[in-house]
Amino acid sequence: MNPSRPVRLLVCDDHVVVRAGLLALLGSAPDIEVVGEAGTGEEAVALAAKLTPDVVLMDLQLGEGIDGVEATRRIASPAPDAPPHVLVLTTYDTDADITRAIEAGATGYLLKAERPEELFSAIQAAAQGRTALSPPVASRVMARMRAPRPTLTDRERDILGQLSRGLGNREIARALFISEATVKTHLGRIYDKLGVDTRAGAVAVAKEQRLLP
């Protein structure tokens, strides 16, 4: 990116009022130029390809259609030209959300409670390919890195492997010759050990910590 020109920014948020507030706020920053806005993940992906912004400011929860994580993955995927950097701006700071976003290729992860100056700085950092994290997010990332890897049983690893293939409880039970009730019991233990509460979160953390068989 040429440092002498403003950062070209695409904003994606499905709430019209929130998006309007962001556009008004960002319009006050002399070194940021909003080149487009999107209300869905699909729209963000299409506009990112068309407008070639330096940074995409991405919400995680986008209502119908693909979510912010999947939109991030599609935007940040390798391309003939360097793809835009994606800066997540969200109210969610769970380990699972952070892990999924970073796994998808997000350059930074910012919370909506941050001050405008922090947002502006994070956008500039993202444009240069530097990681930008809200302090609470950085603390969670560091804590997770320092924490010992969870110990899973062989059966829990088997179930995680089936989970990563997108199988449901009934299909996992058939594949492993166990009951659905047993699958649910193991899933509960897996969630507790990984500190998540969704199937996608479990798979994301398992990949991050190389726990899959």
Side-chain angles (χ1 to χ4, degrees), residues 6-213:
V7 175
R8 291 169 47 82
L9 183 72
L10 170 64
V11 176
C12 179
D13 195 297
D14 66 327
H15 291 97
V16 177
V17 174
V18 173
R19 199 163 70 241
L22 279 172
L23 295 178
L25 176 64
L26 294 164
S28 68
D31 49 1
I32 296 172
E33 177 189 1
V34 178
V35 297
E37 57 177 294
T40 67
E42 289 86 352
E43 191 178 5
V45 173
L47 287 177
K50 177 181 178 181
L51 301 175
T52 61
D54 300 310
V55 177
V56 179
L57 196 61
M58 178 70 67
D59 192 13
L60 285 186
Q61 303 296 332
L62 296 174
E64 295 184 1
I66 63 174
D67 65 3
V69 171
E70 179 58 29
T72 296
R73 182 175 291 109
R74 296 185 189 184
I75 291 169
S77 62
D81 300 317
H85 296 290
V86 178
L87 174 60
V88 170
L89 181 66
T90 181
T91 57
Y92 301 92
D93 66 345
T94 67
D95 287 352
D97 285 321
I98 295 167
T99 298
R100 290 178 64 225
I102 293 175
E103 285 275 328
T107 299
Y109 196 107
L110 212 65
L111 300 179
K112 288 181 176 178
E114 292 295 339
R115 295 175 301 164
E117 296 79 14
E118 297 297 330
L119 174 59
F120 299 157
S121 295
I123 291 171
Q124 291 292 337
Q128 297 169 29
R130 294 187 285 115
T131 301
L133 300 174
S134 285
V137 174
S139 297
R140 294 181 80 102
V141 171
M142 291 303 295
R144 179 172 285 277
M145 289 176 66
R146 294 191 185 106
R149 292 173 61 188
T151 302
L152 300 178
T153 65
D154 289 341
R155 177 59 82 195
E156 288 166 354
R157 287 177 180 274
D158 290 341
I159 289 177
L160 257 181
Q162 301 296 329
L163 207 61
S164 69
R165 295 172 53 202
L167 300 186
N169 289 1
R170 180 174 299 178
E171 295 166 309
I172 293 175
R174 288 176 179 169
L176 299 179
F177 303 102
I178 56 179
S179 69
E180 280 189 67
T182 301
V183 171
K184 290 179 181 178
T185 298
H186 282 304
L187 280 177
R189 291 172 182 162
I190 291 170
Y191 289 176
D192 287 342
K193 289 182 179 182
L194 300 187
V196 300
D197 53 13
T198 65
R199 302 168 80 89
V203 172
V205 172
K207 287 181 178 177
E208 176 197 13
Q209 300 196 18
R210 296 179 174 84
L211 297 173
L212 289 174

